[in-house]
Amino acid sequence: MDSVAVQSAPFSDLLILHGAIVFFLQVGFVSLEVGYGRSKNVKNILLKNTVNILLCAIVWWSVGYAFSFGVSSGGFIGTSGFFHDGSLGVVKIWFYSWNFCLATVAIVSGCLAERTSLVAYPLLTLVMASWVHPVASHWAWQRDSWLLGLSNECRFLDFAGGAAVHLCGGLMGLVGATIVGPRIGRFEEGRAKDMPGHDVSSAAIGTLFLWFGWFGFNCGTTYVYLGNMAAAAAAAGVDDGLSETSSPPPPAITGTGGSNPADRVALNMTLTASVSSLTALLFSSLRSGTVDLVVCCNALLAGLVMSTPACGFITSWAAVVYGLAGAAIYLGGARLLVRMQVDDPLESSVVHFACGMAGTLLLGFLARPAYVAQLTGYNCGGLVYGARKGGLLLGLQVLGVVAVAAWTGVFSVLVFWALRRSGRLRVDQVAELAGLDNMDHGGPAYPEFNLVPYNNGSGER
């Protein structure tokens, strides 16, 4: 998502439509977390995710959007547009980018489910939505940032948020899951104990909702690049569309095949998700002897994350490679979490952090030069194409990933350490065992399922 469009003239109303589709990601995140959680914590999951949405809107309006896309100060952070009223451009991009911030916050929530204090979530949302994600977004998408200004021949590529959203949210979630510790009973005597969720149908439906929302996430981002039209403006040698009075060209670029790049984006993300899910399901079933729905769903999401930084810049055959890589990363990463005794109920840190990082780095090898030029105006590509600047692109990708990871990691450690030291990070043992719904939310989400223990006829229950 290129920030040039933030400062340009009005977008197509397609951006509002795609932003509404992206909002469906929240339905998917909530359904997934409810399904993978236990029934005694359903109200807690529903409430904290709803509050995160409400709080994120206020934070993004007041400071987050300005830090992301305001006039750059030293290439580090935006410094204009606070309490947004349209001064940075039309409100459509505010609405669209707010949904990206929501997704970043929701990723963190899933990693901490079922044992984290309710008061911790608003504090984490404040830190992520007002500081960590906005600065990472500024570096990745603001044309005057230090990261995008390193070279006149090439630029760091992150199509729709592999680094700025998924790496950022997944890494904070991983740090949080490590510091808060596992749920009681998850690891006993050095061995992992299964803690299955209470509603696999909710998890599966949530996965499909996420896939639907992802089409808005990735395809909608195409129109942000089209609004910029840097490649067309550079080739024509005319007004580049950066002024407040200029009008963007119509939303179609014919430099590569004569089609709207959104078609390519939709194809690539669909292929990546499908290949990743089927590959992981096959290898998992061969290894375990069972066909696991959880593997199918999480590997599908891993493929979608893999596609996010890349789907506008790669061909369909490269999307298949991305899908294969996503399956391998998910299967290996999930096993590594268990071996390290990190309790991530949704395996979100693997799906988002590991796959977001890998998808961003692979662009250094698989980005097609013609597609990069079409959407960004830079004539560079991946090493596979023998591009003269392939090494430069790979170096920029590595640097960008390291920078965003370091930025996110430092503040994640600080905020979780402070919460733990203050005693506000984790609920006590009684609350965790009894269920957060019973202790904090007035009773269970499914009161009719509170069955009386079986009476064996001896008078004992």
Side-chain angles (χ1 to χ4, degrees), residues 371-391:
Y371 293 164
V372 175
Q374 180 189 32
L375 293 175
T376 70
Y378 288 87
N379 187 23
C380 61
L383 291 171
V384 165
Y385 292 92
R388 181 175 60 86
K389 303 166 188 173

Side-chain angles (χ1 to χ4, degrees), residues 32 36 207 276 293-303 330 345-347 351:
L32 194 71
Y36 285 153
T207 300
S276 178
L293 178 62
V294 171
V295 170
C296 178
C297 291
N298 284 355
L300 188 156
L301 297 176
Y330 165 68
L346 277 66
E347 299 175 328
V351 169

Side-chain angles (χ1 to χ4, degrees), residues 126-371:
L126 283 172
V127 173
M128 176 61 83
S130 68
W131 186 245
V132 178
H133 170 68
V135 173
S137 297
H138 189 84
W139 295 354
W141 293 323
Q142 170 60 272
R143 67 173 296 156
D144 296 324
S145 74
W146 69 269
L147 183 58
L148 297 192
L150 288 174
S151 172
N152 292 325
E153 299 181 316
C154 198
R155 57 165 275 183
F156 172 75
L157 299 177
D158 184 2
F159 182 77
V165 174
H166 295 287
L167 188 158
C168 191
L171 180 55
M172 178 173 275
L174 177 61
V175 171
T178 303
I179 293 177
V180 75
R183 291 167 291 176
I184 296 172
R186 180 66 174 97
F187 300 101
E188 294 180 347
E189 298 179 354
R191 298 177 65 88
K193 178 183 177 181
D194 287 336
M195 301 183 76
H198 81 287
D199 188 358
V200 69
S201 63
S202 178
I205 292 170
T207 300
L208 296 178
F209 265 124
L210 284 167
W211 197 352
F212 173 73
W214 232 292
F215 282 110
F217 202 89
N218 288 349
C219 296
T221 298
T222 307
Y223 295 101
V224 183
Y225 283 95
L226 293 178
N228 174 31
M229 295 293 282
V238 296
D239 178 20
D240 62 3
L242 297 182
S243 68
E244 293 287 344
T245 58
S246 61
S247 298
I253 295 180
T254 58
T256 312
S259 63
N260 190 319
D263 300 337
R264 175 171 73 244
V265 169
L267 169 64
N268 287 341
M269 63 178 288
T270 302
L271 283 175
T272 304
S274 301
V275 170
S276 178
S277 185
L278 288 173
T279 302
L281 189 62
L282 175 62
F283 278 91
S284 174
S285 62
L286 290 175
R287 181 176 179 273
S288 66
T290 61
V291 185
D292 193 341
L293 178 62
V294 171
V295 170
C296 178
C297 291
N298 284 355
L300 188 156
L301 297 176
L304 290 172
V305 173
M306 288 287 297
S307 74
T308 300
C311 52
F313 302 126
I314 60 174
T315 61
S316 58
W317 69 262
V320 173
V321 175
Y322 264 68
L324 295 173
I329 291 168
Y330 165 68
L331 291 175
R335 295 186 66 185
L336 182 61
L337 281 180
V338 173
R339 180 167 295 185
M340 296 176 62
Q341 298 194 5
V342 175
D343 184 13
D344 182 350
L346 277 66
E347 299 175 328
S348 296
S349 56
V350 173
V351 169
H352 295 280
F353 168 54
C355 292
M357 177 173 60
T360 306
L361 292 175
L362 277 175
L363 280 169
F365 299 93
L366 297 175
R368 184 179 181 186
Y371 293 164

Side-chain angles (χ1 to χ4, degrees), residues 1 49 53 57 105 114 144 153 222 243 271 329 433 439 455:
M1 181 167 60
N49 279 280
I53 294 171
V105 171
E114 299 201 296
D144 296 324
E153 299 181 316
T222 307
S243 68
L271 283 175
I329 291 168
L433 292 175
M439 301 301 291
N455 188 330

Side-chain angles (χ1 to χ4, degrees), residues 1-4 6-7 59-73 75-82 88 93-94 97-98 100-101 104 128-145 148 164-165 407:
M1 181 167 60
D2 198 313
S3 66
V4 173
V6 175
Q7 303 171 8
V59 174
W60 196 246
W61 163 72
S62 57
V63 297
Y65 181 65
F67 284 157
S68 293
F69 299 120
V71 175
S72 186
S73 176
F76 176 77
I77 193 171
T79 57
S80 64
F82 297 99
L88 291 183
I93 189 64
W94 180 92
S97 61
W98 167 63
F100 279 57
C101 184
T104 312
M128 176 61 83
S130 68
W131 186 245
V132 178
H133 170 68
V135 173
S137 297
H138 189 84
W139 295 354
W141 293 323
Q142 170 60 272
R143 67 173 296 156
D144 296 324
S145 74
L148 297 192
V165 174
W407 172 260

